[in-house]
Amino acid sequence: MIGRLASLPGGPELLAQARRREDIALVGGAVRDLLLGHWPRELDVTVAGDSAPLARALSASVSPSERPYGHVVEPILHERFSTASVVWDYGRIDIAELRAESYPAPGALPDVRSGSVEEDLARRDFTVNAISLPLGGERRGELIAVEGALEDLQQGRLRVLHEQSFRDDPTRLLRLARYAARLGFEVETRTAELARAALVGRALETVSGARVGAELRLALGEADAVAALAAMDELGVLLALHPRLRFERPVLEATLALLPSEGRPDLALLAALVLPLALRAQGDQRAEIVVLLDRWDFPAGDRDRVASAAVAVPRLLEELPAAARPSAIRAAARGVPIEGVVLAGALGCAGPAGRWLQETRHVHLEITGDDLLAAGLSEGPEIGRRLEAVLKLRLDGELADGREAELAAALEA
Ligand code: ATP
């Protein structure tokens, strides 16, 4: 494992530091993934004391060939949590002080103090994430794990470390679904019972919306996000997050299949999940979606894009099937985020939505407002109206090719 670590971005630098101090250990997802023969996305590391000095040393030692010329890698220090991160173009190392945690109240942030390796493993979410690989000192290369961790990893099983786990930190319910989907692991029987009991006991209501949102964003960003959402649905997590969220696999899959590369898969999936809110006959549908996404702390730009996409769908479902001409398709889709049109396509308007995605939205005039000003028209909304009228002709194939024809039509319009 140490040999494989040496071939990962940041691995040689980490091992070099571990020759200087004894307390550096790899932990969490990185150890799990290396044991499974996968490539970890980032390296999680623990140290016995302050994480900042190691972060500074690693930042300074990131290979010059892995950073743009003259670019210095600055460590990110989160002093409140005594954690630090080193992030550069090719890799990421997260460093945390070994700690013990206790929960003052269910769902609250834990009280934290310095701890032993064993205590640090005992605060983790699932046994397969509670394995440590010391990189220095006498125990270098020796796996330290909570009871049953290695067996669970081998058997492909997700198990919490103790009965209070989901009550202490209900975001682990979302993590459970995400790992089950990504790793293809089964949820151990008692863990499944505890998860159900926590959901029935409305444990998720005790956590801040921001923390739920952070885990939801991780699920939406998974390589197979549909699988992660399916696992959340099956577990009852989606229902607990909001009773109207709807997971429909065929719709989500069709949405992703239609989405062009400039669309955002995570936002398209989220728009599909919140769609029932947009389909309600009463109330301010957009406001309800905005409130929900604000509660989950989505950035305003993403929130507005999802809300606009979702609320456009009911109208698109009416207008797109009736749109015989490309200009009518354009009029219906105008101003709607791409994810909204795609979602309408996935819900039965594949023909017109596909046409808009592949053809209509790429049609542009060769002339601009400047050409009309140069031809003697005066500035004002009239210019926009004329360009729009010409574009309609162009879209519907009622105009000869070239700028001359466009200009003539615009002046005549
Ligand atoms: P990924 O492969 O998605 O990055 P990871 O296992 O590395 O997964 P992180 O979110 O980076 O996950 O967290 C690193 C480690 O910290 C986890 O493996 C786990 O041991 C621990 N951890 C993270 N979140 C929690 C939590 N809510 N409760 C307990 N332990 C956690």
Side-chain angles (χ1 to χ4, degrees):
M1 282 180 73
I2 286 184
R4 291 193 67 211
L5 174 63
S7 65
L8 292 174
E13 290 82 358
L14 204 51
L15 289 167
Q17 293 299 324
R19 279 192 286 276
R20 288 188 201 123
R21 49 189 283 183
E22 297 188 347
D23 61 337
I24 301 178
L26 198 65
V27 73
V31 178
R32 178 200 69 216
D33 288 345
L34 281 175
L35 282 168
L36 288 171
H38 303 166
W39 294 108
R41 290 192 295 192
E42 76 229 355
L43 302 178
D44 297 309
V45 169
T46 52
V47 288
D50 186 6
S51 52
L54 178 61
R56 290 199 191 92
L58 284 170
S59 299
S61 69
V62 166
S63 163
S65 66
E66 290 193 7
R67 43 185 154 119
Y69 179 72
H71 179 77
V72 180
V73 179
E74 288 288 347
I76 306 162
L77 308 178
H78 314 279
E79 275 163 30
R80 195 175 150 231
F81 303 103
S82 54
T83 60
S85 303
V86 183
V87 186
W88 70 108
D89 287 359
Y90 294 86
R92 176 184 180 111
I93 303 177
D94 289 319
I95 308 161
E97 182 181 352
L98 285 174
R99 57 188 195 250
E101 288 179 351
S102 55
Y103 287 83
L109 284 176
D111 290 332
V112 176
R113 60 171 174 79
S114 302
S116 64
V117 176
E118 287 71 20
E119 283 172 318
D120 187 78
L121 292 179
R123 73 175 176 84
R124 291 175 184 270
D125 47 5
F126 305 105
T127 58
V128 296
N129 286 341
I131 310 173
S132 169
L133 175 71
L135 301 179
E138 281 180 6
R139 299 177 87 175
R140 182 177 197 266
E142 183 187 316
L143 290 173
I144 306 173
V146 299
E147 199 182 335
L150 296 173
E151 199 193 344
D152 285 341
L153 192 65
Q154 202 164 27
Q155 301 291 324
R157 221 165 24 212
L158 291 164
R159 182 201 302 268
V160 284
L161 273 57
H162 56 86
E163 299 263 312
Q164 278 302 313
S165 186
F166 293 122
R167 303 253 171 202
D168 284 348
D169 181 355
T171 65
R172 292 172 186 160
L173 292 160
L174 284 83
R175 298 178 67 82
L176 178 70
R178 190 158 59 82
Y179 288 127
R182 165 146 35 110
L183 302 171
F185 280 17
E186 63 165 57
V187 179
E188 177 266 334
T189 319
R190 181 65 187 148
T191 299
E193 280 171 20
L194 292 169
R196 264 193 301 278
L199 286 165
V200 170
R202 303 162 83 127
L204 275 167
E205 292 173 19
T206 64
V207 205
S208 75
R211 292 186 58 215
V212 169
E215 284 297 337
L216 186 58
R217 282 185 282 283
L218 289 176
L220 291 167
E222 283 284 309
D224 189 349
V226 175
L229 295 174
M232 284 170 62
D233 187 48
E234 207 175 307
L235 212 59
V237 170
L238 290 184
L239 185 69
L241 289 182
H242 192 288
R244 284 189 179 268
L245 294 186
R246 187 170 60 197
F247 174 84
E248 279 189 44
R249 185 185 279 277
V251 173
L252 298 194
E253 285 175 347
T255 299
L256 293 186
L258 277 173
L259 193 70
S261 57
E262 59 280 32
R264 288 264 307 269
D266 55 340
L267 301 187
L269 294 177
L270 186 56
L273 288 182
V274 302
L275 188 62
L277 289 169
L279 293 171
R280 288 182 76 171
Q282 284 126 24
D284 182 340
Q285 296 85 351
R286 187 188 174 88
E288 281 189 53
I289 295 172
V290 166
V291 166
L292 183 61
L293 300 190
D294 271 343
R295 197 198 311 154
W296 290 334
D297 217 14
F298 273 84
D302 290 358
R303 172 201 70 196
D304 291 345
R305 189 157 156 181
V306 171
S308 301
V311 297
V313 169
R315 183 178 58 74
L316 289 174
L317 291 179
E318 261 182 38
E319 292 179 10
L320 284 179
R325 292 166 152 246
S327 61
I329 296 177
R330 177 172 185 273
R334 211 170 165 192
V336 178
I338 201 164
E339 293 80 11
V341 181
V342 162
L343 189 48
L347 285 162
C349 297
R355 194 157 178 199
W356 181 80
L357 289 163
Q358 280 152 29
E359 298 166 21
T360 317
R361 75 191 172 104
H362 300 299
V363 175
H364 299 289
L365 293 180
E366 287 181 43
I367 57 167
T368 67
D370 289 341
D371 295 303
L372 299 192
L373 291 176
L377 292 185
S378 35
E379 220 165 296
E382 180 62 17
I383 301 256
R385 275 198 288 274
R386 283 177 188 250
L387 289 173
E388 193 55 37
V390 180
L391 180 59
K392 187 165 180 285
L393 297 173
R394 160 76 61 239
L395 281 167
D396 294 342
E398 290 170 358
L399 198 64
D401 280 348
R403 15 177 318 117
E404 292 310 313
E406 286 180 5
L407 198 55
L411 295 175
E412 239 171 63

